[in-house]
Amino acid sequence: MTSTLLGVRAVLFDLDGTLADTAPDLAGAANRMRQRRGLPPLPVERLRPVASAGARGMIGVALEVRPADPDFEALRDEFLAEYAAALDIETRLFEGVPQLLDRLDAAELPWGIVTNKAMRFTGPVLEGLGLSQRAAVVIAGDTTPYAKPHPEPLLEACRRLEMSPASAVYVGDDLRDIQAARAACMPSVAAAYGYLGEQGDVAAWSADHIVTHPLQLLELLGL
């Protein structure tokens, strides 16, 4: 592990589970699908760990249907329609994130978002959170031909910021985020307060740093 991030010139964040708690609205879409099928709702905490996996994770837990199942594509379309109709009802920034972004802005340190969520969902979520005009760059899951853990989304963000990957840092709550940063030769920070996905042992991800609260990032950045 490196000791500090003092040379960093930009901060890139994952969205779901890192900047914003989107799980309640994702779970709401999944539970509406369950209700339609006569099934009782699942608690948000049951669905929260797979929120970073989007439709795949939600359908897998809520309906026990996997991508290889012939019904998956139709269920995925249904889930995405449900989510699109109500994606900013309960979604909120994590505690500490507003102060973190304010400090980055005050330090004139540009920050951006690199997510696997498609832009048709990312845009409205950021608008609802008041971030759409503040982020220096936004790379969604369909901005490039690839999604994380491929490094291309992070590399594209750096191209738009006109800086080298080594000059930025990526903060994420899923193993794929750390893998993408490593493949892009970019420092990484694992957000242990997030969803963590199916490989939830953060210590095994080989991230450069681990934070348990968003504001801990400020200390790493020397702010």
Side-chain angles (χ1 to χ4, degrees):
M1 282 192 166
T2 55
S3 57
T4 65
L5 296 171
L6 296 181
V8 161
R9 295 173 48 216
V11 183
L12 299 174
F13 295 97
D14 175 48
L15 180 57
D16 301 70
T18 301
L19 280 186
D21 184 8
T22 56
D25 287 329
L26 289 162
N31 276 327
R32 288 192 294 277
M33 292 177 68
R34 284 178 60 86
Q35 181 181 31
R36 192 173 293 128
R37 289 159 177 81
L39 299 171
L42 293 176
V44 174
E45 293 311 312
R46 173 84 184 279
L47 292 160
R48 184 181 299 277
V50 297
S52 289
R56 175 176 58 83
M58 290 288 156
I59 293 170
V61 172
L63 299 175
E64 298 183 351
V65 175
R66 308 297 172 184
D69 191 290
D71 294 330
F72 178 81
E73 288 301 320
L75 292 172
R76 180 179 180 273
D77 291 344
E78 181 183 346
F79 174 83
L80 294 178
E82 286 286 351
Y83 180 58
L87 48 65
D88 62 351
I89 307 302
E90 297 183 72
T91 290
R92 300 288 184 271
L93 295 176
F94 280 107
E95 178 188 6
V97 168
Q99 297 93 321
L100 168 61
L101 299 182
D102 286 346
R103 289 283 293 277
L104 294 179
D105 287 342
E108 298 184 348
L109 195 65
W111 57 269
I113 295 163
V114 180
T115 175
N116 276 358
K117 188 191 285 292
M119 186 60 83
R120 68 182 173 118
F121 309 115
T122 298
V125 167
L126 295 182
E127 189 70 29
L129 293 170
L131 300 183
S132 57
Q133 302 302 314
R134 295 179 62 186
V137 64
V138 176
I139 304 296
D142 49 359
T143 302
T144 78
Y146 305 95
K148 299 173 297 181
H150 197 284
E152 181 58 23
L154 292 176
L155 297 175
E156 177 62 18
C158 290
R159 284 192 287 268
R160 296 188 184 192
L161 292 171
E162 299 183 342
M163 64 178 60
S164 70
S167 298
V169 61
Y170 190 49
V171 186
D173 72 307
D174 193 278
L175 175 60
R176 293 171 301 176
D177 300 325
I178 307 307
Q179 292 172 330
R182 188 181 306 118
C185 297
M186 181 182 295
S188 63
V189 176
Y193 57 85
Y195 301 147
L196 306 186
E198 296 169 351
Q199 290 93 17
D201 183 6
V202 179
W205 295 358
S206 299
D208 294 305
H209 298 276
I210 298 172
V211 295
T212 57
H213 191 279
L215 291 178
Q216 291 176 351
L217 186 62
L218 294 174
E219 182 177 352
L220 293 175
L221 294 167
L223 299 177

